[in-house]
Amino acid sequence: TLDSQLQKFVQENFFETVKGIREKANFPNPELLNGSVIVVDTQTQEVLAMVGGLGKGEGDFLNRATRKYVIPGSSFKPLVLAAALHGNVIPSIDEKFHDIETTFLVPGHDKEVLYTPQNFSKKWTGAHMKMYHALVYSKNGIFVQLNEKAITKLGDDGMKNFFGQLGIDMPAYHLSSVLGVAETSLMDLAGVYM
C-alpha cells in the first residue's frame, strides 16, 4: 500500500538527487547514471514508496526497483558479513583484517588473472581494523579479503545458497561480488531486511 505523501517526498528527492549527480558527474554519458528506491515497512512488509529510476528522455523509462537485475553496490557488504558469521568463517564482527592494498589470484581461469580492489578513497590506513569498522567505513579491500576467506571455506555454491535462503537469487558468485557487482533485484535486497 503506497503512502502518497511519502511517495511524493521520495520521488521529488530522488529526481533532484539524480539530476544533480548527472550535472556534476565527470562521466562520458551522465544520462546513464541512475538509481531506484524502495521504502518498505518492515513490520507489515508493505511497499510504502517506490521510484524505478529516471529516464534519459520523454517516454524512456525502465523500472529498476522491480527489475531483475541491478547492481546493489556496497549495500551487499552486510550480507557477506552475515554469511561469514553464519558459516563460522570469522567468530565475530570484532575479527580484524589489515587495511592494505592486496592483490588476489582469481580462480577458474586458464591463465593467471590478478585482482586488486581499491577503497573508494584510493587510500589505505595500514591499520588492523575490526570488521565492524570496515563495514562502517565501507573498506572494499578488507571485504574482498573476508570474501576470499568465505569462498575458500564455504565455496561459491555455499555463498549462493546462503543468499538464496535470504531470498536473493544470484546467477553467479565470485571474489568481487562482495562489492555489489553481482546483480540482484532491489526488491529481493529490501526483502532481506523484513
Side-chain angles (χ1 to χ4, degrees):
T1 308
L2 289 178
D3 176 323
S4 60
Q5 285 186 310
L6 181 60
Q7 176 67 31
K8 182 179 179 194
F9 173 80
V10 169
Q11 192 167 326
E12 288 173 356
N13 283 283
F14 174 83
F15 291 148
E16 183 179 311
T17 300
V18 172
K19 285 178 181 179
I21 290 170
R22 285 180 176 181
E23 289 170 7
K24 295 176 184 171
N26 183 15
F27 191 72
N29 301 92
E31 71 277 0
L32 297 178
L33 298 174
N34 218 318
S36 57
V37 176
I38 294 178
V39 180
V40 179
D41 183 324
T42 58
Q43 300 289 323
T44 65
Q45 300 182 355
E46 292 178 322
V47 175
L48 301 177
M50 181 185 327
V51 179
L54 183 63
K56 292 183 276 186
E58 194 68 34
D60 174 31
F61 183 76
L62 171 66
N63 189 342
R64 288 165 182 82
T66 58
R67 172 185 158 227
K68 286 193 183 241
Y69 287 96
V70 295
I71 298 173
S74 289
S75 66
F76 203 69
K77 288 176 183 167
L79 306 183
V80 174
L81 180 56
L85 290 166
H86 183 264
N88 295 314
V89 174
I90 59 172
S92 76
I93 59 172
D94 290 329
E95 184 79 2
K96 291 183 178 182
F97 285 81
H98 205 175
D99 185 29
I100 58 172
E101 187 172 40
T102 307
T103 298
F104 300 88
L105 179 63
V106 179
H109 294 275
D110 294 337
K111 61 180 183 172
E112 186 176 272
V113 176
L114 300 176
Y115 170 56
T116 308
Q118 295 294 311
N119 285 330
F120 180 76
S121 67
K122 305 276 193 255
K123 296 177 184 170
W124 309 91
T125 64
H128 283 85
M129 186 177 287
K130 292 180 180 182
M131 283 309 305
Y132 168 80
H133 292 109
L135 181 60
V136 169
Y137 295 106
S138 195
K139 294 293 189 172
N140 292 342
I142 289 177
F143 268 91
V144 174
Q145 291 173 50
L146 173 67
N147 198 35
E148 181 185 48
K149 283 183 78 165
I151 290 172
T152 299
K153 182 168 183 177
L154 307 173
D156 296 348
D157 288 339
M159 296 296 281
K160 288 192 321 189
N161 289 340
F162 178 81
F163 300 126
Q165 291 171 6
L166 297 177
I168 295 178
D169 175 38
M170 298 190 73
Y173 194 80
H174 42 80
L175 197 57
S176 62
S177 295
V178 67
L179 303 181
V181 299
E183 296 177 327
T184 189
S185 134
L186 183 59
M187 193 66 101
D188 289 348
L189 191 60
V192 169
Y193 296 96
M194 292 191 276

